[in-house]
Amino acid sequence: MASYVIGDLQGCYEELQALLKQLQYNEETDFLWFAGDIVNRGPNSLACLEFVKRLQEQNKAQMVLGNHDFHLLAAYSGLETYVSKSDTLAEILQAPHALDLIDWLRHQPLMLKHDFLPIAMVHAGIPPQWTISEALSYAKEVETVLQSDSWKDAIKHHLFGSDAKTWSDTLDGWERIRYIVNAFARMRYCNDKGKLDFKQKMSPNPNEQTKYQPWFSHSNRKNKDYEIFFGHWSTLGALDAYNIHSTDTGCLWGGELTAYCLEDNTRHTLKCKMNCKPKKRS
Ligand SMILES: [Mn+2]
């Protein structure tokens, strides 16, 4: 029996199947954690989504929501300002069972905690000022919105925007929800109080000491007691330090798809076959 954390798929279904074969993955005994961004930009988003959904429904996998998964929910609810030319979501949106897929997706969490080990997973990161139990409760606030009957309205009018950059315990309303979404699904850099910087997307420059650092490298970080797995940051590459593990090794960009084995702490990778190289990074 083995458990693997799999990095951002973004529609790279062929690579996922090839990697699972390489791992000698056994669906009956092994468990998969998907770090989010299951869909978009790559060639086979529908196949990826259906695969993860089937396994999750059989209690053989879990996933967290990434910014591209949110993007799919937004596209479905008719938020056209977020639809871009590089999207590859049409096959899902036009599928006869689209509603079934979307309803399942919006019931997935933003954060997961291992049943008995000090291990957690999010798509992008956890701000330094949040403990693990605080982070779980904040994730729940957004999950409640997504699972409510008015989720489409929330996503169309309230969930997206880069205005909510600073956290405080008293932050309330939609600004609070937006900050939580931005932190879990989009963050790379922030300051030691959790103020988000969306401009930088590349890997950190060790010679440059600025107030915005990778979310995981702040010395005052309150969630260091858990090993945190995340995806999202493809330019960071494979990093195992600070008690964090990055898993997006840029399969979509001609890099590799990663599976990290929780039992023996080994990384397994598969080189991207498609070399899809979409134009825009997000
Ligand atoms: Mn992402």
Side-chain angles (χ1 to χ4, degrees):
M1 192 223 131
S3 318
Y4 298 99
V5 181
I6 313 255
D8 306 28
L9 296 179
Q10 295 215 252
C12 295
Y13 185 70
E14 267 189 54
E15 285 78 5
L16 171 63
Q17 293 307 320
L19 179 60
L20 293 177
K21 198 171 172 192
Q22 182 185 307
L23 297 171
Q24 297 184 295
Y25 164 70
N26 180 339
E27 199 177 297
E28 298 311 314
T29 54
D30 296 338
F31 195 86
L32 303 180
W33 292 45
F34 289 96
D37 280 0
I38 304 300
V39 299
N40 210 8
R41 302 283 162 83
N44 289 303
S45 288
L46 178 60
C48 284
L49 193 62
E50 284 180 330
F51 183 79
V52 176
K53 178 176 180 282
R54 180 176 64 79
L55 291 182
Q56 193 276 335
E57 287 174 336
Q58 296 172 2
N59 296 318
K60 294 169 181 171
Q62 282 180 295
M63 69 164 284
V64 288
L65 291 168
N67 52 312
H68 283 281
D69 307 313
F70 272 101
H71 189 95
L72 171 59
L73 295 176
Y76 184 84
S77 51
L79 188 58
E80 287 174 4
T81 46
Y82 274 84
V83 177
S84 95
K85 277 184 191 159
S86 44
D87 285 352
T88 55
L89 299 170
E91 58 172 350
I92 297 174
L93 298 171
Q94 291 160 13
H97 57 309
L99 175 61
D100 185 40
L101 294 167
I102 295 295
D103 271 339
W104 170 80
L105 188 65
R106 71 185 176 88
H107 284 81
Q108 301 312 303
L110 274 76
M111 177 175 174
L112 283 169
K113 187 168 87 77
H114 195 281
D115 284 342
F116 50 90
L117 296 172
I119 289 174
M121 180 172 74
V122 292
H123 178 62
I126 303 176
Q129 75 280 22
W130 292 356
T131 64
I132 289 292
S133 65
E134 284 167 345
L136 281 165
S137 80
Y138 301 147
K140 198 63 129 188
E141 292 182 30
V142 176
E143 289 157 15
T144 302
V145 171
L146 288 176
Q147 293 167 19
S148 74
D149 289 344
S150 54
W151 73 275
K152 275 190 190 173
D153 233 39
I155 232 168
K156 269 169 95 167
H157 303 296
H158 307 297
L159 242 58
F160 297 128
S162 300
D163 58 318
K165 289 194 179 114
T166 310
W167 174 260
S168 91
D169 292 337
T170 56
L171 196 64
D172 60 5
W174 289 113
E175 215 183 326
R176 177 184 175 93
I177 296 293
R178 273 198 297 280
Y179 179 92
I180 299 170
V181 172
N182 285 336
F184 280 126
R186 292 177 66 199
M187 175 172 64
R188 291 184 183 89
Y189 291 88
C190 66
N191 72 11
D192 60 0
K193 295 187 175 61
K195 184 174 179 189
L196 308 174
D197 173 25
F198 296 118
K199 289 192 200 105
Q200 299 185 69
K201 291 186 175 180
M202 302 314 280
S203 62
N205 178 353
N207 300 319
E208 208 176 290
Q209 285 299 318
T210 60
K211 62 179 178 173
Y212 291 108
Q213 296 290 326
W215 62 267
F216 49 77
S217 68
H218 291 286
S219 57
N220 64 339
R221 185 161 68 87
K222 288 183 182 170
N223 43 63
K224 282 184 209 162
D225 50 334
Y226 269 63
E227 260 181 271
I228 299 171
F229 286 82
F230 65 101
H232 187 60
W233 198 340
S234 61
T235 53
L236 190 62
L239 181 64
D240 302 298
Y242 307 96
N243 215 19
I244 58 96
H245 305 280
S246 62
T247 62
D248 183 2
T249 42
C251 184
L252 179 71
W253 303 94
E256 292 165 338
L257 186 62
T258 286
Y260 185 108
C261 179
L262 292 183
E263 281 74 20
D264 62 10
N265 295 300
T266 52
R267 281 179 176 268
H268 304 264
T269 56
L270 183 113
K271 186 95 185 89
C272 171
K273 291 176 181 170
M274 303 290 295
N275 206 2
C276 334
K277 289 200 175 154
K279 291 183 192 82
K280 203 176 120 199
R281 237 172 235 273
S282 66

